[in-house]
Amino acid sequence: MSRQQILDTLRAGLAAAPLVVPAPPARPASLPMGADAWARLAEVLAPLDVRLRLAATPAEAAQHVADIARERAATSYTRWDDMPPGLDMDDALAGLSRVSDLGGGCCHALAHVDLGLTFAHAALIDSGSLVLVAGRGRPRAASLLPPTHVCLVPRSALAPDVSALPGLLRGHADTAGLPPSCLNLVTGPSSTADIELVLVRGVHGPGALDVVGLDWDI
Amino acid sequence: MIPCLVEDCLPEIGLAVVSVLERLGVGVKHPKGQTCCGQMAFKTGDAARARALALRSLDLFAGPDAVVCPSGSCAKMLRAYPQLFEPGTPDHARALDLAGRVREFCEFTLALPGAPDFGARLQARAALHRSCQLDGSEAPARLLSAIDGLTLLEPERPERCCGFGGLFSLQFPAVSESLVEDKARELLALKPELLVSAEPSCLMNIGGYLTRQGRPVRALHAAQLLDLALTGGATWS
Amino acid sequence: MVLTDTFTPRNFRGQSHLAARDARLRAILDHATRYFMTKRGVALEAFADREDHFGRARVARLAALSRLPELLERLERNATAAGTRVHWARDAAQAREIVAGIARDCGAKVVVKGKSMVSEEIALNPALEATGAEVWETDLGEFIVQLAQEPPSHIIAPCIHMSRADVAALFREKLGLADLADAASIPELTLLARRALREKFLAADLGVTGVNMAVAETGSVVLVENEGNIRMSTTCPPVHVAIMSLEKVAATLEDAADLLRVLPRSATGQRMSSYVSVLTGPRRTEEPNVELDGPRETHLVILDNGRAEVLADPVLREALLCFRCGACLNSCPVYQTVGGHAYGSVYSGPIGTLLSSLLLPTEDTRDLPFGCTLCGACKKTCPLGIDHPKLMLRLRERVCAGSPGLAGVAHAFLALHPLAYRLAVGAARAVDPGLNLLPRLPGLPVGLASFVDSRQPPRLKTPFSAQLRRSRKKGGA
């Protein structure tokens, strides 16, 4: 009833006064992905208080993750089950307790975990955004509830800008063509300036975001 | 085209316009029977009366001559006339023709041969109020910057509205007053000897406020300042 | 100025008068609007090809409006296919009833809300509370003003009118934190809010958010934020309701991406907001893709509330292009002076004036379009190229249709009749050449008195035309 009324009103309005849409300007070309891609990503992340640590080997990546856990004084962690092969980081985080049983409600289980480990399906250099696609073995809460979020970024995930978004959503569609239930762009830590316009990192989401770049072909 | 405010309250601006233009070799005609461009009616949502007034202007300013107006807002109104008429009608065509011939005073003067260097000279510190009604036009600044000896100063927020807005100042007096207070403070911070603008209504608003505050910094129209400088005003003080 | 929820758009003039005379409020607004404008300016400076990006964003919005009914049907089809239940609400009452019904159906005891202007537009909270649920605003600023029982003062900084000591006192009283000192730091206060709200998120049965855009092609909703409260609201509770005003649809993912490139930069000067969520249906529960979190049930409420009719007006429908970046507010000299409360409705500033005038009854909003100097700062700032002043004039015309102000009529009559005009001015001239009597004349609007009080009015002088004639005669002789 309401539906039909609304649609009828809209149709009548457009029929009475057709809206002619001009041609849009061409979409400006994205910056080319050069050898300096990591450097440019680091430059965009720095003002967000996000440090990019580059690793040339899995061992270096593990070392970075261990360093981060120590620096952030984490005693517990959670990670996606679906991590890239050989990069689950359980060895690097062996001194911490791992929360892995999320069956009874992910948010409750993760509410008091210190560190969440995920990887990015894409990293947008223009904005410093990490793209996380939720799915089996990739719960949304792992990058949201712990006060520290550590994200691994494979070299193959680097992309120029948000123009990559449609392709990512389509690329992760299921066999019926349905996009993933949740795709997040994470750009720096959680932040607010609501009290006196003073910037504070870490309100409801993680106050710390650490990025480890995996600079080899995965 | 002389705005009604200039006709009755600030005639010296009109005289300065004539003086400058004639000095620069322009033949000036002043069609009789001018009243109001219709801006007041247009801005208060009275399109019918604005249209009636526009028709008067279309008659008065028929013909091939450029129409020079020492007010950004009135010039803008004349350029808005086509909006008041149905496209395809003769009046719409006349409105388009007039709109194409309208020039704000500074724009017109800048397009004259030899511009902007007319040999004008005046030693003074002048604060320029750009006026939002000029839609960011650089013409006043370019015209006045060419005056030898003149230091042209711009306030912190050059294009911010002075708070006049015609009837707005009467309907929202406290807001209007706050805005003119801001504007005056930012202009006075420049320690100017005089205030200059190409918009008479802003001049009346800001100048009137400064006078009431006991800070009688003279507020001059760009045409008046140029007229002084062309007649060898030498120093302001 | 005392903040109450009795502000209405009807009293816009009175409210703006009080606000403009409130020195503390003005200082706060000055600080806040400059802060946002400066951040925005820096971001746009570094935004390569920004005019082209703005142009694409505008065309994406125009294209959506030009095919609105078809796109909404498509959105419905695709959202439904993804498992979302789609509801249509003609007005605020229907929307409230739909959301309250969902709350009742899921037995919601705790509801968490992400910041959403449209939920304020439909006055959702009281309706949810009437179902017996406790309702929590979870955006930090919204949470603070909810505790203080005040309306939000700024579109993106709702509690900008409160100091940290005010917030500390509030938390001490409302969160039962007796030991909290006035001198508590802002990060400390933020942490306390995080803890208090973390409990609510975990206990919540229902999450309610707005929608920044909905993508017809996929049936997705896109949510943009910085704090993470919207992610929490769409991750923890078992049910999520998204409420969208019907114009916020984008045809394709490409259009959504073009809009996302512009929105955060224009709103807060960020290249991208901290979190952008693209949500399509509830969590997947069928093998092989079983998810462990996210809502099990998702709803999308498509709200009209007066917008559909606006689409028939070729001038005014441009207001429906807006994607709520808030930049026109911060650039507006009137908003900078009176702030958000004075407008008396959810939407304030230039775009708020337009939206309120279009969505609320005309008799309640007559003054709104006149609270504008037509300076054009908003138009210049708008990344979508909305011509606010032009729409403002159109609204004035609508308000005045049939009832032009008396002064306007008199003026227009005189101006149409040059002789009468001269006589009228001449009469005034004879009685009161200095216009000194104006403020003392009874029956004149307070405004005129006030204007003349703060500004030396112009004096009537020998008219220009007479002076010119005289000098030309002299010159010719």
Side-chain angles (χ1 to χ4, degrees), chain C residues 42 71 467:
Chain C
V42 170
L71 291 178
Q467 292 197 40

Side-chain angles (χ1 to χ4, degrees), chain B:
Chain B
M1 162 78 197
I2 291 297
C4 40
L5 178 64
V6 171
E7 168 73 15
D8 281 304
C9 299
L10 300 164
E12 57 276 16
I13 294 178
L15 295 172
V17 168
V18 173
S19 164
V20 168
L21 293 182
E22 287 183 342
R23 192 176 298 271
L24 298 177
V26 180
V28 180
K29 292 186 243 172
H30 179 247
K32 267 179 128 173
Q34 295 184 37
T35 54
C36 167
C37 61
Q39 188 180 175
M40 175 104 141
F42 185 66
K43 288 187 173 172
T44 49
D46 193 346
R49 287 189 173 76
R51 200 171 297 122
L53 290 166
L55 282 171
R56 277 189 55 77
S57 297
L58 290 178
D59 291 343
L60 279 170
F61 299 106
D65 297 337
V67 176
V68 182
C69 180
S71 155
S73 65
C74 294
K76 197 166 152 169
M77 183 64 223
L78 297 181
R79 290 189 189 118
Y81 282 174
Q83 287 179 41
L84 295 168
F85 301 100
E86 194 66 35
T89 61
D91 288 335
H92 185 257
R94 290 205 298 155
L96 278 178
D97 170 63
L98 176 59
R101 285 185 286 123
V102 170
R103 298 285 181 277
E104 182 277 323
F105 167 79
C106 297
E107 283 170 11
F108 180 81
T109 311
L110 263 185
L112 291 175
D117 192 9
F118 298 121
R121 286 177 50 226
L122 185 72
Q123 286 291 328
R125 282 172 67 83
L128 173 69
H129 172 59
R130 281 179 171 252
S131 175
C132 52
Q133 293 305 308
L134 275 98
D135 287 333
S137 165
E138 292 294 327
R142 284 182 49 212
L143 185 63
L144 297 172
S145 302
I147 296 176
D148 188 26
L150 186 77
T151 310
L152 198 63
L153 309 156
E154 294 223 40
E156 189 192 336
R157 294 179 281 185
E159 282 168 38
R160 192 177 197 243
C161 177
C162 71
F164 179 59
L167 271 188
F168 173 85
S169 60
L170 304 183
Q171 289 180 301
F172 294 83
V175 184
S176 174
E177 199 184 319
S178 297
L179 290 174
V180 73
E181 183 188 313
D182 287 346
K183 182 54 74 185
R185 189 180 56 248
E186 287 167 21
L187 285 167
L188 289 178
L190 303 169
K191 309 222 176 310
E193 292 168 290
L194 55 101
L195 171 65
V196 63
S197 175
E199 180 56 47
S201 54
C202 301
L203 284 173
M204 180 192 74
N205 186 44
I206 306 171
Y209 178 79
L210 290 174
T211 307
R212 270 286 191 266
Q213 296 295 307
R215 310 285 291 268
V217 175
R218 269 289 295 284
L220 292 183
H221 189 277
Q224 292 172 283
L225 189 60
L226 190 57
D227 190 35
L228 270 174
L230 282 171
T231 48
T235 53
W236 170 254
S237 44

